[in-house]
Every structure is written in structure tokens, then in C-alpha cells.
Amino acid sequence: MGLLSKKDSKLILDPLADNNPITIQVLGICSALAITAELKASIVMAISVIFVLGAGNVVVSLMRNIIPSKIRIIVQLIIVATLVIIVDLVLKAYAYELSKTLSVFVGLIITNCIIMGRFEAFALGNGPWKSFLDGIGNALGYGVILIIVGFFRELLGSGTLLGVPVLGDPIEKTGLYSIGYENNGFMLLSPMALIVVGLIIWVQRSRNKALIED
Amino acid sequence: MEHIELFFKSIFIDNMVFATFLGMCSYLAVSKKVSTAIGLGAAVIFVLAITVPLNWLLDQYILQEGALAWLGPEFASYDLSFLSFIMFIATIATMVQLVEIVVEKFSPSLYNSLGIFLPLIAVNCAILGGSLFMQSREIATLGLAFNYGVSSGIGWFLAILAIAAIREKIRYSNVPAPLRGLGITFIITGLMAIGFMSFGGMLTGGDEPAAVKDSAVKVESIEIEKEKEKIADKTAQVIQ
């Protein structure tokens, strides 16, 4: 990373693994779980959050000296809500079907704890460029988990990736299905999202013992 | 009847935590002890009961398409529904702050038990989610909106109470080290959600097949038809 100093690249890379917003900081779980039955929805959600968190962090950081601290939560909520309305309208215009699938969860980006958490913890005390990098980094960390969960749920649940069948045709019995493989419809149900995230946490913490609780 | 149905549906079938994962952040963060879980749960019921009917009024008389007709016929064509996110969250944030001030003034004892949780609640997805689902499910009357707010709050309360009790006990069990704390909580919540899915047939008496089952049945019937076609082809070949 020639463009970024060492400190700056740490801002982006840290949240991807060792300080991941979902598995370590436990923020932003709500939307992460509900929409991950398909990989496509997960990717769109990740992109939306990257946009909202990157832009929101810059705006809050620019306004940090003029926001009165007593009403800062309301001001922050209004900033996020405005950005989320932009995302929602863009989705409705260019990806109507997808915005139907995501339904209220686009709106729920507003109360995604990652966003408020980063505003409070970082953007209120740092300059715009650093805040921008921090926002992008954390949103990417969130997106990575979303995409991993979406990948496994769609692959195991319906045997497709981004809607393209990859394991063969379950009806024609080609590919893997010819040797008796069956789709696990259970993966499409919402409880499995929780269990998949639990397993990701398990894998991550057994690789990095420093993260173990208690 | 309508009210009873909505009440049980929002507590058990559409449980905020187990069916739609709303308010997971505070659900995971504040569920280490039963007493704090009760405090937060009560505050969620309280705030939902206020904000959902309020946002229903806002939606009905200001935001929906044609909702401004009461101002005069020239306003009838306005559709402000794109503003609903910002209006809802502003209402919620203001109400939470207002409730905090009022409770502090009139009932210091209630404030002591609820107070610390109230600021946390403004950014709880369950609260905004309640209002957004109220809007997207087109709840018909103000009474039903109030009912929806209270009952989904109770559902959330139930969930956080259950997980807090389980987490208090699980501290004494031998969980694999990397899974301790967060990991096992996720998996338990997943198992609880599977348990709550069994409430699915509660209101229909199990007559209606669940949505997922339905698609599986369809796939099967398609398969059966294909098999039939194959057999028909074979018999045709044999005849030839």
C-alpha cells in the first residue's frame, strides 16, 4: 500500500480480521443475519453499508466541532437516515426485485450499531480522511462476514451461487446430485444464520487464541 | 379476535429476535445477567408501545400517498413515503429523550431501573424495526398498532429473559474455549429460534403448510412429473 501510510492501512485492515465488527465487537448483527440467505442480497447489503458508513463517517467528522454533545445522537441519526434514504431510492430505481427482498432491512441500516458505534468511537474524535478509512475498513469487515455467511447458506441451501446452479441440477440429477447429494433446505431458514455466524466465531477464535473470552 | 391473533402472532410466530433478528446487538450485549435483561426488556416494551402508535399516526396522516388530503384537495396527490425513515427515527429519538425526562421527573424509582437503558434504546433496531414492519404489514387501526407495539415488545422481552437465564447457567458448563461467550450464545439463539419455529402452526391449527414446506412439495411434484414423463417415454420406446 504505497498510497497509504502504515497507520492508515492498519485502519482498514484491522477490522477485517482481528477487530472485526461482527465477530469481535458484536455490532451490527441484526441486519447481518436476516438477509444472508442469498449471496446477492449479502453483497448488495455490504456495498450499501460501505457507502453509508464511509460517507457518514466523513460527514460526522467534518461536523464534529459544531455538533452540541447533548443532541449528538439525534444529529447522527438524521445524517445516517439521509444517507440510507439515498441508498433505498437508488436500490428501488435500479434493482427493484432486490429491494423487495431486502424490504425493511435497508431502513434498518440506520440503526445498525456498527454505524453509530463508529461515529461515537472514531468520527467524533478524528479528521475526515482517517474517519473515511476507518469507515471503509469497518464496513468491509462487516461485508466479509456477510458474504461468507451468504456464500455458505446459498451454496448448501439451494446449491446455487448468485442464482447460478453450481452443484448440478437437483431435478435432472446431474453433477453432485447424481451421487445422492441433497440440498439442505434448513440452511435457508433464519436460525441457521445464527449458527453459521457462531461457527465462524469458533473458527476465528481457535485460530487466534488471544480472542478467547474469560 | 383480530387483536388476540395479532398479539400471539407477534409474540411467538414473528418474534422479533428469533424470526427477524431485530435488536440483536443489545440482545447479545445486555444478556449476561437476568436482572439487567429484565430492565432492558421492560424499557423496550415501554418505548415500542409509545413509538409504534405514534409512527402509525404519522404514517397515516402525513407520509402515505394521499395522506395529506385532510389539508385540502390540492394536497391529495402528495406521496411523502420516501421520508418515512427519517421521520420515524426522528420521532423515536425525540420520544426516547422525552420519556427519559418525564420519567426522571415523575418517577425516580422507575428512572433508576429503566433510566440507563433508555439512551441505548434510541439506536436499538427493534424499535425502528417495529415501526417499519408496522408500515410494511399495513396494520389497519391505531388500536392494532398499539397492540403490535406492546406484543412485539413482549416477544423481545421473552427472548432476552430466556437467553439471560441460559447464559447465567452456562457459565458452569464446560464449553470449548474458543466458543465461550459470544460463540455459544449465537448457537443457543439459533437453537431457540428453531424451537420457536414450531409455533408456526399455532394460529392455523397446522392446516396451512409452512412456506418452505410448500416449495419442497412443489419440487417433489415436479420430480414426480418428470419421472412419469420418463416412464411414458420408455413405454413409448418399448411399444415402438
Side-chain angles (χ1 to χ4, degrees), chain B residues 92-110:
Chain B
I92 290 166
T94 341
M95 278 320 294
V96 168
Q97 217 132 62
L98 205 67
V99 166
E100 198 183 341
I101 295 168
V102 171
V103 169
E104 190 180 7
K105 177 95 183 141
F106 290 105
S107 170
S109 62
L110 186 65

Side-chain angles (χ1 to χ4, degrees), chain B residues 159-189:
Chain B
I160 196 169
L161 191 62
I163 194 75
I166 293 177
R167 281 181 84 170
E168 274 193 359
K169 295 282 176 239
I170 212 161
R171 222 173 293 149
Y172 306 110
S173 4
N174 189 14
V175 179
L179 211 50
R180 254 174 231 159
L182 191 57
I184 195 72
T185 314
F186 265 102
I187 291 176
I188 291 172
T189 311

Side-chain angles (χ1 to χ4, degrees), chain A residues 22-24 26-31 33-34 70-71 73-74 77-78 81-82 84-85 88-89 103-108 110-113 116 170-173 185-186 189-195 197-199 201-202 205-206 209 212-214, chain B residues 17-26 28-29 32 82-86 89-90 93-94 97 119 122-126 128-129 132-133 136 167 171 176-183 186-187 189-191 193-194 197 212 219 222-223 226 230:
Chain A
I22 292 188
T23 59
I24 310 298
V26 211
L27 296 173
I29 319 274
C30 331
S31 51
L33 301 168
K70 274 202 165 167
I71 57 159
I73 301 238
I74 297 186
L77 283 174
I78 300 291
T82 318
V84 169
I85 289 177
D88 187 44
L89 291 180
S103 71
V104 302
F105 290 98
V106 177
L108 288 175
I110 300 172
T111 45
N112 191 320
C113 333
M116 295 302 288
I171 298 165
E172 299 279 346
K173 299 274 179 222
F186 214 52
L189 302 177
S190 41
M192 283 313 287
L194 286 162
I195 293 178
V197 175
L199 295 177
I201 293 173
W202 193 357
R205 293 194 180 178
S206 26
K209 301 277 186 215
I212 294 176
E213 284 175 46
D214 296 329
Chain B
V17 173
F18 297 131
T20 45
F21 305 118
L22 295 179
M24 284 299 283
C25 310
S26 24
L28 291 168
K32 285 193 180 118
F82 68 92
L83 282 178
S84 48
F85 293 160
I86 210 164
I89 198 71
T94 341
Q97 217 132 62
V123 289
N124 187 327
C125 351
L128 181 64
L132 289 175
F133 272 121
S136 74
R167 281 181 84 170
R171 222 173 293 149
L179 211 50
R180 254 174 231 159
L182 191 57
F186 265 102
I187 291 176
T189 311
L191 295 177
I194 294 172
M197 279 169 61
V212 182
V219 171
I222 292 172
E223 277 175 84
K226 292 229 165 176
K230 269 184 198 165

Side-chain angles (χ1 to χ4, degrees), chain B residues 16-62:
Chain B
M16 281 205 151
V17 173
F18 297 131
T20 45
F21 305 118
L22 295 179
M24 284 299 283
C25 310
S26 24
Y27 167 85
L28 291 168
V30 195
S31 61
K32 285 193 180 118
K33 272 172 67 187
V34 171
S35 53
T36 44
I38 290 177
L40 183 68
V44 166
I45 299 180
F46 195 59
V47 174
L48 268 175
I50 294 173
T51 55
V52 172
L54 212 64
N55 280 333
W56 185 86
L57 287 175
L58 205 66
D59 187 44
Q60 213 69 12
Y61 292 106
I62 295 178

